[in-house]
Amino acid sequence: MTTQLIDAFEFCRTGGTREGVTPVAQMERLVRDCASSDGEIAWKAEGGTSRQGFPQMRLAVTGTVQLACQRCLAPFAYEIDSSTVLMLGEDDAKADEIEEVIDDETIDVIVGTRSMNLMDLIEDEALLALPQAPKHDVCPDTALLDTVRSEKKSPFDVLKALKK
């Protein structure tokens, strides 16, 4: 994945904006959770300042990835459409202080750096948008699964045979 280093604090201070489209195949951590490397993630990052004066970044990711259904194991297309607001602290102590001031569970506070890889944040957001247990709403063809289930013998059948 291409590295996009930014000075996170300068990016927020100047209201910086970056956007792009990155193939899933180039996102090493995301591709590990997918059934295939097909698809791409469109993303946008916008810097700014919160009402309380803290540096903040708004991230948005959208795209389609292929996930494996936990029920039938068949791949299916999953739509990612997620956005988040990150507030930045210079260190852990400042990040903790910001969290106490804003007292908002919907906003994540992270430690920012002067050389932050924006693509890591984008990939993190895409990963957080994935379901914990991906499943079809309705599995397309359960015939194979039903066959496997019906062929499964009960361990008690073996005992019955020994009894005879």
Side-chain angles (χ1 to χ4, degrees):
M1 176 167 56
T2 347
T3 302
Q4 289 214 19
L5 292 181
I6 60 168
D7 176 332
F9 297 102
E10 188 67 14
F11 184 80
C12 292
R13 189 184 67 71
T14 61
T17 301
R18 294 226 183 139
E19 59 188 302
V21 177
T22 303
V24 171
Q26 290 182 15
M27 297 180 152
E28 291 176 21
R29 293 177 295 139
L30 179 62
V31 82
R32 276 185 253 155
D33 285 354
C34 295
S36 80
S37 60
D38 295 343
E40 52 190 25
I41 301 295
W43 54 271
K44 184 173 186 174
E46 299 172 295
T49 305
S50 72
R51 287 188 314 250
Q52 300 93 343
F54 301 120
Q56 77 176 19
M57 199 180 303
R58 184 174 306 277
L59 298 176
V61 295
T62 58
T64 304
V65 295
Q66 296 296 314
L67 299 179
C69 175
Q70 296 294 301
R71 277 191 290 251
C72 70
L73 303 180
F76 70 101
Y78 181 80
E79 292 292 323
I80 292 176
D81 187 0
S82 180
S83 66
T84 193
V85 173
L86 302 173
M87 286 195 182
L88 309 177
E90 291 89 25
D91 53 34
D92 286 329
K94 184 66 176 172
D96 289 344
E97 184 183 309
I98 292 170
E99 268 187 354
E100 284 182 33
V101 169
I102 62 168
D103 192 29
D104 185 342
E105 293 294 318
T106 64
I107 297 174
D108 291 318
V109 181
I110 63 171
V111 175
T113 66
R114 302 275 175 210
S115 60
M116 192 167 229
N117 185 354
L118 183 58
M119 293 312 297
D120 286 344
L121 295 176
I122 300 300
E123 189 171 14
D124 288 346
E125 186 60 24
L127 283 163
L128 290 169
L130 297 179
Q132 253 184 321
K135 295 181 201 129
H136 288 106
D137 290 333
V138 175
C139 292
D141 183 12
T142 59
L144 181 61
L145 186 59
D146 293 341
T147 304
V148 170
R149 282 186 182 146
S150 66
E151 287 176 2
K152 187 176 177 183
K153 299 217 184 298
S154 166
F156 297 106
D157 290 343
V158 175
L159 293 175
K160 283 180 192 170
L162 289 175
K163 190 176 176 184
K164 291 180 182 176

